[in-house]
Amino acid sequence: ILATPRHYTYVKVSEGCSHRCSFCIIPHIRGDLKSRSIASIAREVQSLSEQGVKEFNLIAQDLNEFGKDLRDGSNLTELFTALEKVPGDFWVRPLYMYPLEFSDSLIQIMRDSKHLVKYADMPLQHINDRVMRSMKRGSPSRYVRQVLEKLKTAMPEIAIRTTFIVGYPGETDAEF
């Protein structure tokens, strides 16, 4: 059922999250990661594209973790590759791409794709290493900065949207 205006839609590719960030309740409410199959997502995109949908917003609590639970080799790069093969005039906007799991092959498909918008919605939450450890974010600031640099080098035109948590318990003025 298309519950949005007919030109765009949201496609949920997975539910839940296997991370245990200290500030987040999602894994306790929605459970661990549960990914859909790549084939089912591609069929949905093709069917809706044939009905005139032009923008597909891929959503998940952590899009970059897509497929890890399937244990069949599925991952976000493979999903994007499959969506490239779907015929039609449409674009795909990936939402909620955490900085973990940003492989070179993922960045390459994002750069080379005819369907993927040069866009990453990447909730960084913080950049101070001590605060990020307290948040249990899983990646040091050095790694986050490397990912951002790789994205901007591969796609200078990429738009990166983010969110930050300020006033995190124990955060000092200097860390802020």
Side-chain angles (χ1 to χ4, degrees), residues 87-138:
D89 180 24
F90 62 88
W91 63 89
V92 175
R93 183 180 309 276
L95 301 179
Y96 316 122
M97 300 179 79
Y98 281 71
L100 292 171
E101 305 298 329
F102 253 102
S103 67
D104 290 342
S105 60
L106 177 58
I107 293 171
Q108 180 180 352
I109 188 76
M110 289 176 69
R111 181 195 67 210
D112 297 340
S113 171
K114 68 180 185 242
H115 290 303
L116 278 165
V117 175
K118 305 304 183 245
Y119 174 88
D121 187 323
M122 187 184 305
L124 297 176
Q125 313 304 20
H126 216 285
I127 199 64
N128 177 273
D129 283 325
R130 190 197 68 78
V131 175
M132 287 175 30
R133 276 191 307 276
S134 177
M135 290 178 163
K136 299 182 181 175
R137 287 297 288 164

Side-chain angles (χ1 to χ4, degrees), residues 148-175:
L148 293 170
E149 182 63 33
K150 283 182 176 183
L151 286 168
K152 291 300 279 184
T153 299
M155 298 167 281
E157 73 281 16
I158 192 169
I160 298 174
R161 179 193 172 277
T162 192
T163 53
F164 289 97
I165 296 174
V166 296
Y168 186 77
E171 178 186 50
T172 67
D173 287 342
E175 290 165 336

Side-chain angles (χ1 to χ4, degrees), residues 40-145:
S40 74
I41 296 164
R43 278 193 306 271
E44 180 178 349
V45 168
Q46 181 167 353
S47 173
L48 290 170
S49 175
E50 290 168 355
Q51 296 174 46
V53 174
K54 295 294 183 190
E55 179 173 339
F56 294 90
N57 294 283
L58 300 186
I59 58 171
Q61 277 74 40
D62 182 354
L63 198 58
N64 291 43
E65 291 288 307
F66 170 80
K68 280 191 160 190
D69 58 312
L70 298 177
R71 294 184 172 86
D72 64 357
S74 295
N75 60 46
L76 190 56
T77 302
E78 294 302 316
L79 173 59
F80 287 167
T81 301
L83 294 178
E84 277 302 293
K85 297 174 185 171
V86 174
D89 180 24
F90 62 88
W91 63 89
V92 175
R93 183 180 309 276
L95 301 179
Y96 316 122
M97 300 179 79
Y98 281 71
L100 292 171
E101 305 298 329
F102 253 102
S103 67
D104 290 342
S105 60
L106 177 58
I107 293 171
Q108 180 180 352
I109 188 76
M110 289 176 69
R111 181 195 67 210
D112 297 340
S113 171
K114 68 180 185 242
H115 290 303
L116 278 165
V117 175
K118 305 304 183 245
Y119 174 88
D121 187 323
M122 187 184 305
L124 297 176
Q125 313 304 20
H126 216 285
I127 199 64
N128 177 273
D129 283 325
R130 190 197 68 78
V131 175
M132 287 175 30
R133 276 191 307 276
S134 177
M135 290 178 163
K136 299 182 181 175
R137 287 297 288 164
S139 54
S141 63
R142 172 184 40 77
Y143 175 78
V144 172
R145 291 173 199 276

